[in-house]
Each structure stands twice: as C-alpha cells, then as structure tokens.
Coordinates of all heavy atoms in Angstrom, one line a residue:
M1 N 0.9 -1.2 0.0 CA 0.0 0.0 0.0 C 0.9 1.2 0.0 O 1.8 1.3 0.8 CB -0.9 0.0 1.2 CG -1.9 1.1 1.3 SD -3.0 1.0 2.7 CE -4.2 -0.2 2.0
R2 N 0.6 2.2 -0.9 CA 1.5 3.3 -1.1 C 1.5 4.3 0.1 O 2.5 4.7 0.6 CB 1.1 4.0 -2.4 CG 2.3 4.8 -3.0 CD 1.9 5.4 -4.3 NE 0.7 6.1 -4.3 CZ -0.1 6.2 -5.3 NH1 0.2 5.6 -6.4 NH2 -1.3 6.9 -5.3
D3 N 0.3 4.6 0.6 CA 0.2 5.6 1.7 C -0.9 5.1 2.7 O -2.0 5.5 2.7 CB -0.2 6.9 1.1 CG -0.2 8.0 2.2 OD1 0.3 7.7 3.3 OD2 -0.7 9.1 1.9
P4 N -0.4 4.1 3.6 CA -1.4 3.5 4.5 C -2.1 4.5 5.4 O -3.2 4.3 5.9 CB -0.6 2.4 5.2 CG 0.8 2.8 5.0 CD 0.9 3.6 3.7
S5 N -1.4 5.6 5.8 CA -1.9 6.5 6.7 C -3.1 7.3 6.1 O -3.9 7.9 6.9 CB -0.9 7.5 7.2 OG -0.4 8.3 6.1
A6 N -3.3 7.2 4.8 CA -4.4 7.9 4.2 C -5.8 7.4 4.7 O -6.8 8.1 4.7 CB -4.4 7.8 2.7
A7 N -5.8 6.1 5.2 CA -7.0 5.5 5.7 C -7.6 6.3 6.9 O -8.8 6.2 7.2 CB -6.8 4.1 6.0
W8 N -6.7 7.1 7.5 CA -7.1 7.8 8.7 C -7.7 9.2 8.4 O -8.2 9.9 9.3 CB -6.0 7.9 9.7 CG -5.4 6.6 10.1 CD1 -4.2 6.1 9.8 CD2 -6.0 5.6 10.9 NE1 -4.0 4.9 10.3 CE2 -5.1 4.5 11.0 CE3 -7.2 5.5 11.6 CZ2 -5.4 3.4 11.7 CZ3 -7.5 4.3 12.3 CH2 -6.6 3.3 12.3
G9 N -7.7 9.6 7.2 CA -8.1 10.9 6.8 C -7.0 11.9 6.9 O -5.9 11.6 7.2
F10 N -7.4 13.2 6.7 CA -6.4 14.3 6.7 C -7.0 15.5 7.5 O -8.2 15.7 7.6 CB -6.1 14.7 5.3 CG -5.6 13.6 4.5 CD1 -6.4 12.8 3.6 CD2 -4.2 13.3 4.5 CE1 -5.9 11.8 2.9 CE2 -3.7 12.2 3.8 CZ -4.5 11.5 2.9
G11 N -6.0 16.3 7.9 CA -6.4 17.7 8.5 C -7.3 17.6 9.6 O -7.2 16.8 10.5
R12 N -8.3 18.5 9.6 CA -9.3 18.6 10.7 C -10.1 17.4 10.9 O -10.7 17.1 11.9 CB -10.2 19.8 10.5 CG -9.5 21.1 10.6 CD -10.4 22.3 10.3 NE -11.6 22.2 11.0 CZ -12.7 22.9 10.8 NH1 -12.7 23.8 9.8 NH2 -13.8 22.8 11.5
R13 N -10.2 16.6 9.8 CA -11.1 15.4 9.9 C -10.3 14.1 10.1 O -10.8 13.0 9.9 CB -11.9 15.3 8.6 CG -12.8 16.5 8.4 CD -14.1 16.2 7.7 NE -14.9 17.3 7.5 CZ -15.9 17.7 8.3 NH1 -16.1 16.9 9.4 NH2 -16.6 18.7 8.1
I14 N -9.0 14.2 10.4 CA -8.2 13.0 10.7 C -8.8 12.2 11.9 O -9.3 12.9 12.8 CB -6.7 13.3 10.8 CG1 -5.9 12.1 10.7 CG2 -6.5 14.0 12.2 CD1 -4.4 12.4 10.5
C15 N -8.8 10.9 11.8 CA -9.3 10.1 12.9 C -8.6 10.4 14.2 O -7.4 10.2 14.3 CB -9.2 8.6 12.6 SG -9.8 7.6 13.9
P16 N -9.3 10.9 15.3 CA -8.6 11.1 16.6 C -8.2 9.9 17.3 O -7.4 9.9 18.2 CB -9.7 11.9 17.4 CG -11.0 11.6 16.8 CD -10.7 11.2 15.3
G17 N -8.8 8.7 16.9 CA -8.5 7.5 17.6 C -7.4 6.6 16.8 O -7.2 5.5 17.2
R18 N -6.8 7.2 15.8 CA -5.9 6.4 15.0 C -4.7 5.8 15.8 O -4.3 4.6 15.6 CB -5.3 7.2 13.8 CG -4.4 8.4 14.2 CD -4.2 9.3 13.0 NE -3.3 10.4 13.4 CZ -3.7 11.5 14.1 NH1 -5.0 11.6 14.5 NH2 -2.9 12.4 14.4
D19 N -4.1 6.5 16.8 CA -3.0 6.0 17.6 C -3.5 4.8 18.4 O -2.9 3.8 18.5 CB -2.4 7.0 18.4 CG -1.6 8.1 17.6 OD1 -1.1 7.7 16.5 OD2 -1.5 9.2 18.1
M20 N -4.7 5.0 19.1 CA -5.2 3.9 19.9 C -5.5 2.7 19.0 O -5.2 1.5 19.4 CB -6.5 4.3 20.6 CG -6.9 3.3 21.6 SD -8.4 3.8 22.5 CE -9.6 2.9 21.7
A21 N -6.1 2.9 17.8 CA -6.4 1.8 16.9 C -5.1 1.1 16.5 O -5.1 -0.2 16.5 CB -7.2 2.3 15.7
Q22 N -4.1 1.8 16.1 CA -2.9 1.2 15.6 C -2.2 0.4 16.7 O -1.7 -0.7 16.5 CB -1.9 2.2 15.0 CG -2.4 2.7 13.6 CD -1.5 3.6 13.0 OE1 -0.9 4.5 13.6 NE2 -1.3 3.5 11.7
W23 N -2.1 1.0 17.9 CA -1.5 0.3 19.1 C -2.3 -0.9 19.5 O -1.8 -1.9 20.0 CB -1.2 1.3 20.2 CG 0.0 2.2 19.9 CD1 -0.1 3.5 19.7 CD2 1.3 1.8 19.7 NE1 1.2 4.0 19.4 CE2 2.0 2.9 19.3 CE3 2.0 0.6 19.7 CZ2 3.4 2.9 19.1 CZ3 3.4 0.5 19.4 CH2 4.0 1.7 19.1
S24 N -3.6 -0.8 19.4 CA -4.5 -2.0 19.7 C -4.2 -3.1 18.8 O -4.1 -4.3 19.2 CB -6.0 -1.6 19.7 OG -6.3 -0.6 20.6
I25 N -4.1 -2.8 17.5 CA -3.8 -3.8 16.5 C -2.4 -4.4 16.8 O -2.2 -5.6 16.8 CB -3.8 -3.3 15.1 CG1 -5.3 -2.9 14.7 CG2 -3.3 -4.3 14.1 CD1 -5.4 -2.1 13.5
W26 N -1.4 -3.6 17.2 CA -0.1 -4.0 17.4 C -0.1 -5.0 18.6 O 0.5 -6.1 18.6 CB 0.9 -2.8 17.7 CG 2.3 -3.2 17.8 CD1 3.2 -3.2 16.8 CD2 3.0 -3.7 19.0 NE1 4.4 -3.7 17.3 CE2 4.3 -3.9 18.6 CE3 2.6 -3.9 20.3 CZ2 5.2 -4.4 19.5 CZ3 3.5 -4.3 21.2 CH2 4.8 -4.6 20.8
I27 N -0.7 -4.6 19.7 CA -0.7 -5.5 20.9 C -1.5 -6.7 20.7 O -1.1 -7.8 21.2 CB -1.2 -4.7 22.2 CG1 -0.8 -5.5 23.5 CG2 -2.7 -4.5 22.2 CD1 0.7 -5.5 23.7
C28 N -2.5 -6.7 19.9 CA -3.3 -7.9 19.5 C -2.4 -8.9 18.7 O -2.3 -10.1 19.1 CB -4.5 -7.5 18.7 SG -5.5 -9.0 18.3
I29 N -1.7 -8.4 17.7 CA -0.8 -9.3 16.9 C 0.3 -9.8 17.8 O 0.7 -11.0 17.7 CB -0.4 -8.5 15.7 CG1 -1.5 -8.2 14.7 CG2 0.7 -9.3 14.9 CD1 -1.2 -7.3 13.6
A30 N 0.9 -8.9 18.6 CA 2.0 -9.3 19.4 C 1.6 -10.4 20.4 O 2.3 -11.4 20.7 CB 2.6 -8.1 20.2
S31 N 0.3 -10.3 21.0 CA -0.2 -11.3 21.9 C -0.4 -12.6 21.2 O -0.1 -13.7 21.8 CB -1.5 -10.8 22.5 OG -1.3 -9.6 23.3
V32 N -0.9 -12.6 20.0 CA -1.2 -13.8 19.2 C 0.2 -14.5 19.0 O 0.3 -15.7 19.2 CB -1.9 -13.5 17.9 CG1 -1.9 -14.7 17.0 CG2 -3.4 -13.2 18.2
L33 N 1.2 -13.7 18.5 CA 2.5 -14.3 18.2 C 3.2 -14.8 19.4 O 4.0 -15.8 19.3 CB 3.3 -13.3 17.4 CG 2.8 -12.9 16.0 CD1 3.7 -11.8 15.4 CD2 2.7 -14.1 15.1
A34 N 3.0 -14.2 20.6 CA 3.6 -14.6 21.8 C 3.0 -15.9 22.4 O 3.6 -16.6 23.1 CB 3.5 -13.5 22.9
T35 N 1.7 -16.2 22.0 CA 1.0 -17.3 22.5 C 0.9 -18.5 21.6 O 0.8 -19.6 22.1 CB -0.5 -16.8 22.9 OG1 -0.4 -15.6 23.7 CG2 -1.2 -17.8 23.7
F36 N 0.8 -18.2 20.3 CA 0.6 -19.3 19.4 C 1.7 -19.5 18.4 O 2.4 -18.5 18.0 CB -0.7 -19.0 18.6 CG -2.0 -19.0 19.4 CD1 -2.5 -17.8 19.8 CD2 -2.6 -20.2 19.8 CE1 -3.6 -17.7 20.6 CE2 -3.8 -20.1 20.5 CZ -4.3 -18.9 21.0
N37 N 1.9 -20.7 17.9 CA 2.8 -20.9 16.7 C 1.8 -21.0 15.5 O 0.8 -21.8 15.6 CB 3.5 -22.3 16.8 CG 4.7 -22.2 17.8 OD1 5.0 -21.1 18.3 ND2 5.3 -23.3 18.0
L38 N 2.1 -20.2 14.5 CA 1.3 -20.2 13.3 C 2.2 -20.9 12.2 O 3.2 -20.3 11.9 CB 0.9 -18.8 12.9 CG -0.1 -18.1 13.8 CD1 0.5 -17.5 15.0 CD2 -0.9 -17.1 13.0
T39 N 1.7 -22.0 11.7 CA 2.5 -22.7 10.7 C 1.6 -23.1 9.5 O 0.4 -23.1 9.7 CB 3.1 -24.0 11.3 OG1 2.1 -24.8 11.8 CG2 4.1 -23.6 12.4
K40 N 2.3 -23.4 8.4 CA 1.5 -24.0 7.3 C 1.0 -25.3 7.6 O 1.7 -26.1 8.3 CB 2.4 -24.1 6.1 CG 2.9 -22.7 5.6 CD 4.0 -22.9 4.5 CE 4.7 -21.6 4.2 NZ 5.9 -21.8 3.3
S41 N -0.2 -25.6 7.2 CA -0.8 -27.0 7.4 C 0.0 -27.9 6.5 O 0.5 -27.5 5.5 CB -2.3 -27.0 7.0 OG -3.0 -26.2 8.0
L42 N -0.1 -29.2 6.8 CA 0.6 -30.2 6.0 C -0.5 -31.0 5.2 O -1.6 -31.2 5.8 CB 1.4 -31.2 6.9 CG 2.4 -30.5 7.8 CD1 3.1 -31.6 8.6 CD2 3.4 -29.7 6.9
D43 N -0.2 -31.4 4.0 CA -1.1 -32.2 3.2 C -0.9 -33.7 3.7 O -0.2 -34.0 4.6 CB -1.0 -32.0 1.7 CG 0.4 -32.5 1.2 OD1 1.1 -33.2 1.9 OD2 0.7 -32.1 0.0
E44 N -1.6 -34.6 3.0 CA -1.6 -36.0 3.3 C -0.2 -36.6 3.3 O 0.1 -37.6 4.0 CB -2.5 -36.8 2.4 CG -4.0 -36.4 2.4 CD -4.2 -35.2 1.5 OE1 -3.6 -35.1 0.4 OE2 -5.0 -34.3 1.9
Q45 N 0.7 -36.0 2.4 CA 2.1 -36.5 2.3 C 3.0 -35.8 3.3 O 4.2 -36.1 3.3 CB 2.6 -36.4 0.9 CG 2.0 -37.4 -0.1 CD 0.6 -37.0 -0.6 OE1 0.4 -35.8 -0.8 NE2 -0.2 -38.0 -0.7
G46 N 2.5 -34.9 4.1 CA 3.3 -34.2 5.0 C 4.0 -33.0 4.4 O 4.9 -32.5 5.0
V47 N 3.6 -32.6 3.2 CA 4.2 -31.5 2.6 C 3.4 -30.2 3.0 O 2.2 -30.2 2.9 CB 4.2 -31.6 1.0 CG1 4.8 -30.4 0.3 CG2 4.9 -32.9 0.6
P48 N 4.1 -29.1 3.4 CA 3.4 -27.9 3.7 C 2.6 -27.3 2.6 O 3.0 -27.4 1.4 CB 4.6 -26.9 4.0 CG 5.8 -27.7 4.3 CD 5.6 -29.0 3.5
I49 N 1.4 -26.9 2.9 CA 0.4 -26.3 1.9 C 0.8 -24.8 1.8 O 0.7 -24.1 2.8 CB -1.0 -26.5 2.4 CG1 -1.3 -28.0 2.5 CG2 -2.0 -25.8 1.4 CD1 -2.7 -28.3 3.2
E50 N 1.2 -24.4 0.6 CA 1.6 -23.0 0.4 C 0.4 -22.1 0.2 O -0.5 -22.5 -0.5 CB 2.6 -22.9 -0.8 CG 3.9 -23.7 -0.7 CD 4.8 -23.1 0.4 OE1 4.7 -21.9 0.7 OE2 5.5 -23.9 1.0
P51 N 0.4 -20.9 0.8 CA -0.6 -20.0 0.5 C -0.6 -19.6 -1.0 O 0.5 -19.6 -1.6 CB -0.3 -18.8 1.4 CG 0.6 -19.3 2.4 CD 1.4 -20.4 1.8
S52 N -1.7 -19.3 -1.6 CA -1.8 -19.0 -3.0 C -1.1 -17.7 -3.3 O -0.6 -17.5 -4.5 CB -3.2 -18.9 -3.5 OG -3.9 -17.8 -2.9
G53 N -1.0 -16.7 -2.4 CA -0.5 -15.4 -2.7 C -1.5 -14.5 -3.3 O -1.2 -13.3 -3.6
E54 N -2.7 -14.9 -3.4 CA -3.8 -14.1 -4.0 C -4.4 -13.2 -2.9 O -4.4 -13.6 -1.7 CB -4.9 -15.0 -4.6 CG -4.5 -15.8 -5.8 CD -5.6 -16.7 -6.2 OE1 -6.7 -16.2 -6.3 OE2 -5.3 -17.9 -6.4
Y55 N -4.8 -12.0 -3.4 CA -5.5 -11.1 -2.5 C -6.9 -10.8 -3.0 O -7.1 -10.9 -4.2 CB -4.7 -9.8 -2.4 CG -3.5 -9.9 -1.5 CD1 -2.4 -10.6 -1.8 CD2 -3.5 -9.3 -0.2 CE1 -1.3 -10.7 -1.0 CE2 -2.4 -9.4 0.7 CZ -1.3 -10.1 0.3 OH -0.3 -10.2 1.1
T56 N -7.8 -10.4 -2.1 CA -9.1 -9.9 -2.6 C -8.9 -8.5 -3.2 O -7.9 -7.8 -3.0 CB -10.0 -9.7 -1.4 OG1 -9.5 -8.8 -0.5 CG2 -10.2 -11.1 -0.7
S57 N -9.8 -8.1 -4.1 CA -9.7 -6.8 -4.6 C -10.7 -5.9 -3.8 O -11.5 -6.3 -3.1 CB -10.1 -6.8 -6.1 OG -11.5 -7.3 -6.2
G58 N -10.5 -4.6 -4.0 CA -11.4 -3.7 -3.3 C -10.6 -2.7 -2.4 O -9.4 -2.8 -2.3
L59 N -11.4 -1.9 -1.7 CA -10.7 -0.9 -0.8 C -9.9 -1.6 0.3 O -8.8 -1.2 0.5 CB -11.8 0.0 -0.3 CG -11.3 1.2 0.5 CD1 -10.4 2.1 -0.3 CD2 -12.5 2.0 1.1
G60 N -10.5 -2.5 0.9 CA -9.8 -3.3 2.0 C -9.3 -4.6 1.4 O -10.0 -5.6 1.6
S61 N -8.1 -4.6 0.8 CA -7.6 -5.9 0.2 C -6.9 -6.7 1.3 O -6.2 -6.2 2.1 CB -6.7 -5.5 -0.9 OG -6.1 -6.7 -1.5
Y62 N -7.1 -8.0 1.3 CA -6.5 -8.9 2.2 C -6.3 -10.2 1.5 O -6.9 -10.5 0.5 CB -7.3 -9.0 3.5 CG -8.7 -9.3 3.3 CD1 -9.2 -10.6 3.1 CD2 -9.7 -8.3 3.2 CE1 -10.5 -10.9 2.9 CE2 -11.0 -8.6 3.0 CZ -11.4 -9.9 2.8 OH -12.8 -10.2 2.6
P63 N -5.4 -11.1 2.1 CA -5.1 -12.4 1.5 C -6.4 -13.2 1.5 O -7.2 -13.2 2.4 CB -4.0 -13.0 2.3 CG -3.4 -11.9 3.1 CD -4.5 -10.9 3.3
V64 N -6.6 -14.0 0.4 CA -7.7 -14.9 0.4 C -7.4 -16.0 1.5 O -6.3 -16.3 1.8 CB -7.9 -15.6 -1.0 CG1 -8.2 -14.5 -2.0 CG2 -6.7 -16.4 -1.4
P65 N -8.5 -16.6 2.0 CA -8.3 -17.6 3.1 C -7.4 -18.8 2.6 O -7.4 -19.2 1.5 CB -9.7 -18.1 3.3 CG -10.6 -17.0 2.9 CD -9.9 -16.4 1.7
H66 N -6.6 -19.2 3.5 CA -5.8 -20.4 3.3 C -5.7 -21.2 4.6 O -5.9 -20.7 5.7 CB -4.4 -20.1 2.7 CG -3.6 -19.3 3.6 ND1 -3.6 -18.0 3.7 CD2 -2.7 -19.7 4.6 CE1 -2.7 -17.5 4.7 NE2 -2.2 -18.6 5.2
Q67 N -5.4 -22.5 4.4 CA -5.3 -23.4 5.6 C -4.0 -23.2 6.3 O -2.9 -23.0 5.7 CB -5.4 -24.8 5.1 CG -5.8 -25.8 6.1 CD -6.0 -27.2 5.5 OE1 -6.2 -27.3 4.3 NE2 -6.0 -28.1 6.4
C68 N -4.1 -23.1 7.7 CA -2.9 -23.0 8.5 C -3.1 -23.7 9.8 O -4.3 -24.0 10.1 CB -2.4 -21.6 8.7 SG -3.6 -20.6 9.7
D69 N -2.1 -23.9 10.6 CA -2.2 -24.5 11.9 C -1.9 -23.4 13.0 O -0.9 -22.7 12.8 CB -1.3 -25.7 12.1 CG -1.7 -26.9 11.3 OD1 -2.9 -26.9 10.9 OD2 -0.9 -27.7 11.0
I70 N -2.8 -23.2 13.9 CA -2.6 -22.3 15.0 C -2.6 -23.1 16.3 O -3.7 -23.5 16.7 CB -3.7 -21.2 15.0 CG1 -3.6 -20.5 13.6 CG2 -3.4 -20.2 16.1 CD1 -4.8 -19.5 13.4
L71 N -1.5 -23.2 16.9 CA -1.4 -24.1 18.1 C -0.7 -23.3 19.2 O 0.2 -22.5 19.0 CB -0.5 -25.3 17.8 CG -1.1 -26.2 16.7 CD1 -0.1 -27.3 16.3 CD2 -2.4 -26.9 17.2
P72 N -1.1 -23.6 20.5 CA -0.4 -22.9 21.6 C 1.1 -23.2 21.5 O 1.6 -24.3 21.2 CB -1.0 -23.6 22.9 CG -2.3 -24.2 22.4 CD -2.1 -24.5 21.0
R73 N 1.9 -22.2 21.8 CA 3.4 -22.3 21.7 C 4.0 -23.2 22.8 O 5.0 -23.8 22.6 CB 4.0 -20.9 21.9 CG 3.9 -20.0 20.8 CD 4.6 -18.7 21.1 NE 6.0 -18.8 21.1 CZ 6.8 -18.8 20.0 NH1 6.2 -18.5 18.9 NH2 8.1 -18.9 20.1
S74 N 3.3 -23.3 23.9 CA 3.9 -24.1 25.0 C 2.7 -24.6 25.9 O 1.6 -24.2 25.8 CB 4.8 -23.2 25.8 OG 4.1 -22.1 26.4
E75 N 3.1 -25.4 26.9 CA 2.1 -25.8 27.9 C 1.6 -24.6 28.7 O 0.4 -24.5 29.1 CB 2.6 -26.9 28.8 CG 2.5 -28.3 28.3 CD 1.1 -28.6 27.8 OE1 0.1 -28.4 28.5 OE2 1.0 -29.1 26.6
A76 N 2.5 -23.6 29.0 CA 2.1 -22.4 29.8 C 1.1 -21.6 28.9 O 0.1 -21.1 29.5 CB 3.3 -21.6 30.1
A77 N 1.3 -21.5 27.6 CA 0.4 -20.8 26.8 C -1.0 -21.5 26.7 O -2.0 -20.9 26.8 CB 0.9 -20.7 25.4
R78 N -0.9 -22.9 26.6 CA -2.2 -23.7 26.6 C -3.0 -23.4 27.9 O -4.2 -23.2 27.9 CB -1.9 -25.1 26.4 CG -3.1 -26.0 26.4 CD -2.7 -27.5 26.3 NE -1.8 -27.8 25.2 CZ -2.2 -28.0 23.9 NH1 -3.5 -28.0 23.6 NH2 -1.4 -28.3 23.0
A79 N -2.3 -23.5 29.1 CA -2.9 -23.3 30.4 C -3.5 -21.9 30.5 O -4.7 -21.7 31.0 CB -1.9 -23.5 31.5
M80 N -2.8 -20.9 29.9 CA -3.3 -19.5 30.0 C -4.6 -19.4 29.1 O -5.6 -18.7 29.5 CB -2.3 -18.5 29.5 CG -2.7 -17.1 29.5 SD -1.6 -16.0 28.7 CE -1.7 -16.5 27.0
I81 N -4.6 -20.0 27.9 CA -5.8 -20.0 27.0 C -7.0 -20.6 27.7 O -8.1 -20.1 27.7 CB -5.4 -20.7 25.7 CG1 -4.4 -19.9 25.0 CG2 -6.7 -20.8 24.9 CD1 -3.7 -20.7 23.9
L82 N -6.7 -21.8 28.3 CA -7.8 -22.5 29.0 C -8.4 -21.7 30.2 O -9.6 -21.7 30.4 CB -7.4 -23.9 29.4 CG -7.1 -24.9 28.2 CD1 -6.5 -26.2 28.7 CD2 -8.3 -25.1 27.3
S83 N -7.5 -21.1 30.9 CA -7.9 -20.3 32.1 C -8.7 -19.1 31.7 O -9.6 -18.6 32.4 CB -6.8 -19.9 33.0 OG -6.0 -18.9 32.3
A84 N -8.5 -18.5 30.5 CA -9.2 -17.4 30.0 C -10.6 -17.7 29.4 O -11.4 -16.9 29.2 CB -8.4 -16.6 29.0
A85 N -10.7 -19.0 29.0 CA -12.0 -19.4 28.4 C -13.1 -19.5 29.3 O -13.0 -19.6 30.5 CB -11.8 -20.7 27.6
Ligands
NAG1 C1 6.6 -23.2 18.9 O1 7.7 -22.6 18.3 C2 8.8 -22.5 19.1 C3 9.8 -21.7 18.4 O2 10.1 -22.2 17.1 C4 9.3 -23.9 19.5 O3 10.4 -23.8 20.4 C5 8.1 -24.6 20.2 O4 8.5 -26.0 20.4 C6 6.9 -24.6 19.3 N1 5.8 -25.2 20.1 C7 5.1 -26.2 19.6 C8 4.0 -26.7 20.5 O5 5.3 -26.7 18.5

C-alpha cells in the first residue's frame, strides 16, 4: 500500500483514535504471536500447503483464506488460554 496513513483521513477530519487503533492492533498481533505458533498446514504426504499469494480486490484488500495451523506455543500458553476461556 502506497500511503497507508491515508485511511485515517487528513487535516481537521483525521481520525482522533488512530493511535489507539494502531496500538491496539499491534498489541493484539504481538499477543497472538507470543501465545501461538502459526504454521503452514501439511497435506496427506506431510508437505506444507503453500498460501496462494492471492489477495481480494477492493478498498480493503487482504489475502484470500488459506489453511494453516494455530497451536499454543507451550504448555504455559495452553494453560493461559484454557484459564481465559
Ligand atoms: C513453537 O515454536 C517455538 C519456536 O520455534 C518452538 O520452540 C516450540 O517448540 C513450538 N511449540 C510447539 C507446540 O510446536
């Protein structure tokens, strides 16, 4: 994306919550990465399934869904997840 900050608007109409939004996203992603291992799923032969690399079109473009494994990084992470549920 050429100018990602454009999504927040400009001048007097710039989003006043942009810093909170960006830091909230940062701490969410950091928490997921600290708690889970995200890996490619394996096919029947044990070969990693590669993401297609395709993206949706439109204003909010994102990768098309692909299969992956999201597992707790450790027993401590698993216990924390279960205690929060
Ligand atoms: C998660 O990844 C870390 C770092 O590569 C590794 O040490 C740990 O064994 C992995 N945990 C599981 C449950 O695979």
